[in-house]
Amino acid sequence: SAAPGYLGQQGWLDRPDPSNGTRLFGAGLTNDRIDYAAIVAWAQYCDTAGLQCRLMVDGQRSAGEVLDDIAAAGRASKTWATGKLSVWWEAAGQPVVAAFGMSNILAGSFSVAYDAAGEVDEYALEFTRSDADYEAETVYAVVPGVAQVASQRSERAVYSMSRDQAQRTVNLLAASRYYHRRKIVWESHLEALAVQRGDIVHLAHDLTQWAFSGRLLALTA
């Protein structure tokens, strides 16, 4: 029979199928509770980015915990924001879906918190190589701007991957330490209903940058 159109595989690899036997797909959810479009788009992203998850489950774990590990390998996380089991991921070039500024941020709700955790100069990632007979290895990445390493944080991957993917993963950890030092929180009115987790928004506020923001009142020819 012809391969299904979404991922081009057969049977239980990418869809429920009568031939599955006792094997379950999609955490036992019915088709109408799975966001196939988002999952397929994410799978295509992972394929393009060269991201894989090779994982052996050898103990009792919930379906959600296993899905979290799989999603992490693809720079993503599971979500129910669409009302179905879905996924959001950090892909480049995503469009801005909303804008927030002084006109639609509730007064007194805006705050900026800075990462006060101990300094980390270098990250280490322990993993098993899927491209070298699953040998154990460790890759390293120095945080940008660090001239001399004085402290290190070590992480252990729960899934196997190629050395190239491991190096890119630890590079992102180090880069995030440098670029993501602020957490910004605010509240808004009905404009916030158009935004869900993973969306990109534009923010203009005097506490973070000199910027222009306002509300359109009228247009003249």
Side-chain angles (χ1 to χ4, degrees):
S1 61
Y6 14 87
L7 292 183
Q9 305 292 333
Q10 293 286 341
W12 71 281
L13 290 174
D14 65 350
R15 65 170 179 174
D17 190 272
S19 65
N20 288 356
T22 58
R23 292 173 293 196
L24 298 178
F25 175 90
L29 298 173
T30 55
N31 288 358
D32 60 350
R33 298 192 64 196
I34 300 175
D35 189 352
Y36 277 97
I39 294 173
V40 170
W42 174 57
Q44 293 169 340
Y45 161 77
C46 290
D47 187 53
T48 301
L51 302 175
Q52 296 184 351
C53 178
R54 297 180 180 271
L55 177 66
M56 180 177 69
V57 181
D58 57 1
Q60 184 174 346
R61 303 184 67 201
S62 69
E65 291 172 335
V66 175
L67 290 176
D68 286 338
D69 290 341
I70 296 172
R75 303 173 190 168
S77 69
K78 71 177 187 296
T79 176
W80 286 89
T82 62
K84 301 179 180 181
L85 178 60
S86 187
V87 62
W88 73 268
W89 64 98
E90 299 179 4
Q94 296 185 65
V96 172
V97 301
F100 295 92
M102 305 298 288
S103 62
N104 59 3
I105 294 177
L106 294 179
S109 70
F110 193 91
S111 64
V112 182
Y114 290 86
D115 186 1
E119 288 299 319
V120 178
D121 297 329
E122 180 184 58
Y123 281 86
L125 180 65
E126 303 173 17
F127 70 107
T128 53
R129 289 186 60 173
S130 60
D131 57 343
D133 199 25
Y134 297 94
E135 294 182 357
E137 189 168 334
T138 304
V139 289
Y140 305 88
V142 177
V143 175
V146 172
Q148 184 174 356
V149 175
S151 61
Q152 182 191 82
R153 177 175 296 176
S154 180
E155 307 280 351
R156 182 185 296 275
V158 297
Y159 53 88
S160 298
M161 66 190 104
S162 67
R163 191 183 193 283
D164 174 70
Q165 181 177 339
Q167 187 63 63
R168 287 183 289 143
T169 299
V170 77
N171 288 349
L172 286 174
L173 288 174
S176 180
R177 182 68 184 182
Y178 180 78
Y179 290 105
H180 299 156
R181 291 181 175 272
R182 296 186 304 182
K183 181 179 181 180
I184 302 174
V185 178
W186 73 90
E187 297 178 14
S188 184
H189 289 291
L190 292 177
E191 293 91 342
L193 294 178
V195 180
Q196 62 184 22
R197 184 182 180 193
D199 284 343
I200 307 298
V201 301
H202 177 78
L203 173 66
H205 197 282
D206 286 347
L207 287 179
T208 57
Q209 61 186 10
W210 288 107
F212 294 97
S213 66
R215 188 182 300 276
L216 179 63
L217 298 179
L219 292 174
T220 57

